[in-house]
Amino acid sequence: MAAAPLTLESSLPTHLGVDIPLVGYGTYKVGAVPHSTTIKYTPDRSTAEIVVDALEAGYRMLDCAEYYINEEGIGEAIARCNVPRKDLFLISKVWNTTVYKGEAAIREAVQTTLKALRTDYIDLYLIHWPVVGKHVEGYKVLEKLHEEGVVRAIGVANYTIEDYEMLKMEMKIKPVVNQLEISPWCFRPKTLNYFQNEGIVLQSYRTLRQAQCLDDPLVVKLSAKYKVTAAQLLGRWCIQHGFSFIPKSTNRSRMEDNLRLYHFEIESADIEALDAQTRPETLKDFKAKYADCVVRDTPMQGDLSQVPKSYTID
């Protein structure tokens, strides 16, 4: 029996019975810039103005985070648009500093997010990075929050196979999602296959690489072949792999374009060609980013002796 065609309403089932929408809107650096980010700029519009555009364009899953320091603006946008809460899928992530501090801090962060987003529950709550020596205990707090009904589903972000194996030894509730950077230039089949085989939905950020690779020769060639934009090609590549796709743009017309993924299908040979774009230097960059981020904004920051010595990067 042929698989059902993908549509704007498509979602990915999870073991907790909470379906993950196939496409959502990313809010990193939307109207605000986190304090410890390495690349800074001055936003020219408010978070609320931009997220209103996203909601009006048709997005219903919003990917938020404590670290992004813009959840109040997102809550304001939701209130302005009067989208029924039941039609929204709100994700948030707890930041390293909070995970490091422990349960009381995590509970306080959840309440801050609920107030900012003007809601009484979160659809999906994630550990943002596997903070060295702290993420397993942090995840146990998320399990409690799920059992208490504060969050409908829980998951992780940026976990390696080894991070998950460590968590697996002590968790009671399997994560529904692992949110990872996934693109043709950061395609790690061993890791991706592992988590898919574990029954964990993969949610992709930076698939569009902040527009840095939209002029890649292969992308240009295939975009012309399918008569779509480069961003649409990459989004379709993502969802054809079965990943939940979280694009981000602050431009209204590009927001709309990034949702138009359902009128074409990429041939298998072209999917394979895109899969083959990852290079050793990209994996080296991933390793450096991971080593920085699993201790960032904690007392361990800068101390590479705290970072795991061996982990799967491909």
Side-chain angles (χ1 to χ4, degrees):
M1 182 176 178
L6 298 174
T7 71
L8 186 58
E9 288 73 38
S10 295
S11 60
L12 299 167
T14 72
H15 64 91
L16 289 179
V18 177
D19 292 348
I20 309 297
L22 201 55
V23 181
Y25 180 70
T27 65
Y28 180 48
K29 293 186 179 178
V30 168
V33 180
H35 304 302
S36 64
T37 189
T38 53
I39 301 175
K40 298 184 184 294
Y41 76 106
T42 301
D44 57 2
R45 291 201 294 157
S46 72
T47 300
E49 290 172 320
I50 298 166
V51 176
V52 163
D53 276 354
L55 291 168
E56 290 180 348
Y59 291 91
R60 291 297 178 262
M61 177 165 68
L62 302 177
D63 179 50
C64 316
E66 176 188 8
Y67 178 67
Y68 300 168
I69 62 169
N70 59 4
E71 290 184 327
E72 285 191 6
I74 295 166
E76 181 183 338
I78 292 168
R80 282 193 205 174
C81 289
N82 293 314
V83 178
R85 177 64 182 88
K86 66 180 179 61
D87 295 339
L88 294 171
F89 193 95
L90 300 180
I91 305 171
S92 189
K93 301 181 280 291
V94 60
W95 184 239
N96 297 358
T97 310
T98 304
V99 172
Y100 187 89
K101 290 178 180 177
E103 180 166 356
I106 294 171
R107 288 184 174 277
E108 182 179 351
V110 169
Q111 292 304 314
T112 299
T113 288
L114 291 170
K115 182 178 179 182
L117 296 177
R118 308 186 192 191
T119 185
D120 56 2
Y121 68 94
I122 300 167
D123 294 286
L124 176 61
Y125 200 53
L126 311 178
I127 298 287
H128 204 146
W129 282 91
V131 179
V132 176
K134 299 290 184 177
H135 69 91
V136 173
E137 292 305 311
Y139 187 83
K140 290 177 182 179
V141 182
L142 271 58
E143 291 179 324
K144 293 178 185 178
L145 292 167
H146 171 69
E147 291 167 349
E148 293 162 12
V150 179
V151 298
R152 295 177 62 219
I154 57 176
V156 297
N158 303 298
Y159 271 48
T160 63
I161 294 171
E162 291 75 15
D163 293 321
Y164 180 69
E165 291 287 346
M166 185 183 301
L167 177 63
K168 198 174 178 181
M169 290 189 289
E170 298 192 43
M171 70 187 187
K172 294 190 298 182
I173 302 170
K174 183 168 70 173
V176 301
V177 156
N178 187 10
Q179 194 177 100
L180 297 169
E181 178 179 345
I182 307 173
S183 74
W185 304 276
C186 189
F187 189 68
R188 302 186 290 133
K190 186 180 295 184
T191 294
L192 302 177
N193 291 339
Y194 171 87
F195 283 103
Q196 288 187 316
N197 289 336
E198 287 287 315
I200 294 172
V201 170
L202 293 172
Q203 198 163 52
S204 170
Y205 70 88
R206 286 198 86 230
T207 300
L208 306 183
R209 301 278 287 180
Q210 297 174 315
Q212 294 171 358
C213 296
L214 298 186
D215 59 353
D216 175 273
L218 178 63
V219 171
V220 171
K221 174 186 171 184
L222 294 180
S223 299
K225 174 179 177 178
Y226 294 103
K227 298 181 173 60
V228 296
T229 68
Q232 288 169 333
L233 179 83
L234 295 173
R236 183 70 198 195
W237 170 86
C238 192
I239 65 175
Q240 276 187 226
H241 267 297
F243 309 144
S244 177
F245 170 52
I246 305 177
K248 188 210 84 173
S249 175
T250 58
N251 178 282
R252 173 66 180 262
S253 64
R254 286 196 289 270
M255 290 178 187
E256 294 170 352
D257 279 347
N258 292 344
L259 281 174
R260 297 188 182 112
L261 308 175
Y262 308 102
H263 61 290
F264 72 105
E265 184 171 346
I266 304 173
E267 295 171 6
S268 59
D270 293 334
I271 291 281
E272 291 171 8
L274 288 165
D275 292 352
Q277 296 307 297
T278 299
R279 300 289 182 262
E281 55 268 24
T282 309
L283 297 179
K284 184 178 179 181
D285 290 344
F286 160 76
K287 189 172 184 179
K289 179 180 177 182
Y290 174 88
D292 170 62
C293 287
V294 296
V295 294
R296 183 185 288 185
D297 293 344
T298 75
M300 299 179 288
Q301 181 164 334
D303 184 358
L304 293 181
S305 70
Q306 301 291 331
V307 177
K309 298 295 185 291
S310 176
Y311 46 90
T312 304
I313 64 170
D314 59 352

